[in-house]
Amino acid sequence: MSYLEWFETHANKHHRIVQKLGAQKYTKEMIIDYFLFDNMVEKEPDFCLLYATKQKCHPLKELNCYLCACPNFRFNDEGLSVEKNITCKSQCSIHSKKSGVFVYENVSHLDCSACSVPHTKAYINKHFDVEWKKIMQKCLVTSPKAENSQ
């Protein structure tokens, strides 16, 4: 699955949940609390593949899944840049010291598993919007990849 396919699929799942909660008159705070990992595993098991094994993507006691994917994540399925024949398809816009990179089949991908930035209630509260795609609008980078540099 490409980054864009995941992004669109996830946006639709997120939208359905938020619409359901809105119809039940959930407040902003109630919506944010609903997205706590333990609650989501129980009530929205199809939201994330990791929920089937109750595995967290980040080792946080109070992991909140409202911003699954980070507003600082940048991606382009065609590539953001190419260096030494390695195509970079994703990166962190804030260059978090907790982010890493892994390379698979000459493609580098961002590894955010050690970063907790978007998964705290305070961060979500600050950036909250019922439209997940609105928060995440800068993630998809549409500019062409950089020239191949050796």
Side-chain angles (χ1 to χ4, degrees):
M1 176 182 287
S2 71
Y3 282 116
L4 185 58
E5 289 169 328
W6 180 89
F7 187 83
E8 294 297 335
T9 300
H10 186 77
N12 291 331
K13 289 192 282 186
H14 196 280
H15 181 76
R16 283 192 296 273
I17 293 169
V18 172
Q19 289 298 303
K20 174 182 73 173
L21 299 177
Q24 296 174 21
K25 307 289 188 222
Y26 273 51
T27 64
K28 171 184 171 181
E29 291 76 18
M30 292 167 70
I31 291 171
I32 292 171
D33 286 344
Y34 186 88
F35 277 82
L36 285 168
F37 176 82
D38 291 332
N39 188 61
M40 292 292 285
V41 166
E42 177 188 334
K43 295 182 179 164
E44 306 292 342
D46 295 331
F47 187 71
C48 175
L49 295 173
L50 297 176
Y51 289 176
T53 58
K54 297 183 181 178
Q55 180 184 348
K56 292 182 177 182
C57 55
H58 301 273
L60 298 172
K61 184 177 180 183
E62 293 288 319
L63 177 64
N64 192 298
C65 302
Y66 193 82
L67 289 177
C68 174
C70 177
N72 300 311
F73 187 83
R74 300 292 181 267
F75 73 89
N76 184 306
D77 287 318
E78 298 301 315
L80 296 168
S81 63
V82 178
E83 275 190 52
K84 298 180 183 175
N85 293 324
I86 304 291
T87 301
C88 171
K89 290 194 176 185
S90 57
Q91 61 189 27
C92 177
S93 69
I94 62 170
H95 309 288
S96 171
K97 291 180 182 178
K98 292 186 177 184
S99 67
V101 173
F102 70 93
V103 176
Y104 179 73
E105 296 183 348
N106 290 339
V107 177
S108 71
H109 302 275
L110 183 63
D111 176 2
C112 306
S113 58
C115 184
S116 62
V117 168
H119 299 295
T120 64
K121 194 171 180 177
Y123 186 90
I124 295 164
N125 203 31
K126 180 179 178 183
H127 298 278
F128 184 85
D129 195 295
V130 294
E131 291 297 329
W132 182 84
K133 283 179 90 171
K134 197 172 187 181
I135 302 169
M136 306 299 285
Q137 64 188 343
K138 292 181 180 176
C139 291
L140 173 59
V141 178
T142 56
S143 62
K145 60 186 169 186
E147 288 299 312
N148 196 5
S149 55
Q150 300 290 322

